[in-house]
Structure formats: structure tokens, C-alpha cells
Amino acid sequence: KLSFLRKKFYIYPAQNSKLKLADEKVVCKDCHKKSGCEYYDNNDLEKIKNFTIEFTTCKFDRALKILESVSNKDNKTFWYNKGLALRQKTLEIASKKIKQVTQMADVKDKEIIGLYRESTKCFEKAILVDTHYTKAWYWRGRNLLDLKQFKESINCFENVIKLDHHNEQNRKLGALLFIGVNYLNLRNSHKAAEYLLPLFDSINHDLIKIDTFEEFLEYILIPSNFETLLEHLVQTPIAEISTGSGLRH
């Protein structure tokens, strides 16, 4: 939220370095800009644009090298973009090592796990700057699911649902899917059904060609089916330049 009349910004920095939703803090426009949490200078902004080009063309090592040359590393989008680039680099490496990479893959490779963890730390640093940064919670949750840290992943996606102020339906449905899958991995089918049933009711059944919820549960446990559903529900990783707005994300 932003009031142009009062020139006040509402920010949500972490309290005591805890990864949990924080209450709003009101600052003036000048103080907000000086903090650097959402702003880049012109030199950095040009570098971020170049980073975005390399990221979009899947040149992740080059993108990361450009990003490291940015002077303002307090910006939440710096950490978000680095987390995304590392995640995509991880999946690229994994695709060469594993015949079929899925979000439910049994990842054991040390290099892949190390990159996942590094990516996750970047999303966490973005969240510490802005605990209402929805996309950072979302991708942290995706990483934690891949790392089989199911309970922590559930917390991330629950925050995504709480922060869905822009009514981004696909992101919300994706969060329901991932919470349900996390509970299935925890062997808690009752809790999984609480999240997956609303998803089942919302999706186009012609897409998956099944009629009952029981069939749906069996459907999503098959990796190729799960990937098909993901393509229609979840976000494509998109790098960010900077909002500079003080809005929630």
C-alpha cells in the first residue's frame, strides 16, 4: 500500500532476522529510497537490464557474473534474481545428470543440492528485506520441496496464499498443489486433501481427463502427469528489475 498524498511507504522488514511475516513499518519516501531496499542507481539499473537479457536466454553463469557486479546488494530484487538464476542453473545441470528431472525427483547429487541450498539462501535474504515478498516465498517453497524439507516448504506456500493480494489465481492454485504434495510426502493424506480438493474443483478437467478426486491423487503422483499440471498452473521464473514502489509483492 502506498499513499502518494502523505508520501508514506509501508514496508515489511523481518523482525529479529526471523523468516516470518512481519507487521508493517511506516517510513517516509526519502528514507525508503535511501534504504536501497528497492531502488538501484542508473549504473546498477543498466546492469540489471543486462542480467535480465542473459537470464531470459538461459545464460545463467553470465547472468550471475553481471549480477555480482551490482553495487547495491541490499536490494531485495538482487537476492531474488540471484536465487532464480541459481535455481535455473541447478535445473540445467540436473537435466544433464538425471534423465528426467521433476519437482518430485529424488535429488542426491551433492553439486545439485549445494546449488539448491545457495539459491534458497538468496530467497531468504530477499524475504528478510521484505517479508511480504510473495514471489520470494513461492520460490523458496519450491526449492525446499525439491530438497525434501516438506514442513518448511508448506509454511512458504501458506504465506503465498496469505499474501495473494493481487488475486493471481494461478499462483494461488500452484501453492495449493505444492502444499498438497508436501503433505502427501509426509504421508498425511487427510491434510493433503484439504488443499488438493479445492484445486481439483478449480482446474479444467478436460486437461487431465479424470473425473474423481481419488483418480486425481493417483494422477499427480506420476511424474510426467505432475509436470503437465505444473505447466498449466505455476509461474515461469521471471527476473525482476526493481519496483521502487513500496508495494507488496
Side-chain angles (χ1 to χ4, degrees), residues 8 18 27 29 47 52 54 60 82 84 94 108 125 129 152 159 172 198 239:
K8 298 289 186 180
K18 292 183 179 179
V27 296
K29 183 176 180 179
K47 292 177 181 178
T52 304
E54 301 295 344
F60 303 118
K82 185 174 180 179
L84 272 188
K108 296 180 180 178
K125 288 183 178 180
V129 176
E152 291 183 59
N159 286 338
K172 194 168 185 176

Side-chain angles (χ1 to χ4, degrees), residues 149-167:
Q149 297 179 33
F150 304 124
K151 292 182 179 179
E152 291 183 59
S153 179
I154 287 170
N155 174 254
C156 290
F157 290 115
E158 286 178 339
N159 286 338
V160 169
I161 293 173
K162 291 175 184 176
L163 296 171
D164 188 34
H165 303 295
H166 301 300
N167 195 29

Side-chain angles (χ1 to χ4, degrees), residues 4 12 31 152 167 184 212 223 239 248:
F4 288 96
Y12 307 86
C31 291
E152 291 183 59
N167 195 29
L184 287 177
T212 68
R248 290 173 180 163

Side-chain angles (χ1 to χ4, degrees), residues 47-70 85 89 92:
K47 292 177 181 178
I48 294 297
K49 289 177 180 177
N50 291 333
F51 160 84
T52 304
I53 293 170
E54 301 295 344
F55 180 91
T56 304
T57 54
C58 300
K59 298 173 183 175
F60 303 118
D61 282 328
R62 289 174 63 175
L64 286 164
K65 186 176 181 179
I66 293 171
L67 197 61
E68 287 300 329
S69 69
V70 170
K89 177 182 176 179
E92 186 177 64

Side-chain angles (χ1 to χ4, degrees), residues 7-9 11 25-39:
K7 296 184 179 179
K8 298 289 186 180
F9 282 74
I11 60 175
K25 180 180 178 182
V26 182
V27 296
C28 70
K29 183 176 180 179
D30 289 339
C31 291
H32 181 257
K33 190 168 184 178
K34 288 177 182 177
S35 72
C37 66
E38 293 190 20
Y39 290 88

Side-chain angles (χ1 to χ4, degrees), residues 116-128:
Y116 262 126
R117 288 175 176 166
E118 187 179 356
S119 171
T120 303
K121 288 180 181 178
C122 290
F123 293 129
E124 289 170 356
K125 288 183 178 180
I127 291 168
L128 290 175

Side-chain angles (χ1 to χ4, degrees), residues 138 141-142 145 153 157-158 160-161 164 168-182 195-196 199 202-203 226 229-230 232-235:
Y138 178 90
R142 292 283 299 268
L145 172 57
S153 179
F157 290 115
E158 286 178 339
V160 169
I161 293 173
D164 188 34
E168 297 187 22
Q169 186 65 9
N170 277 12
R171 183 159 66 194
K172 194 168 185 176
L173 291 176
L176 291 173
L177 172 64
F178 288 118
I179 292 174
V181 168
N182 274 303
Y195 293 90
L196 293 175
L199 171 62
S202 300
I203 61 176
F226 185 75
L229 191 58
L230 281 180
H232 291 271
L233 287 182
V234 304
Q235 297 180 311

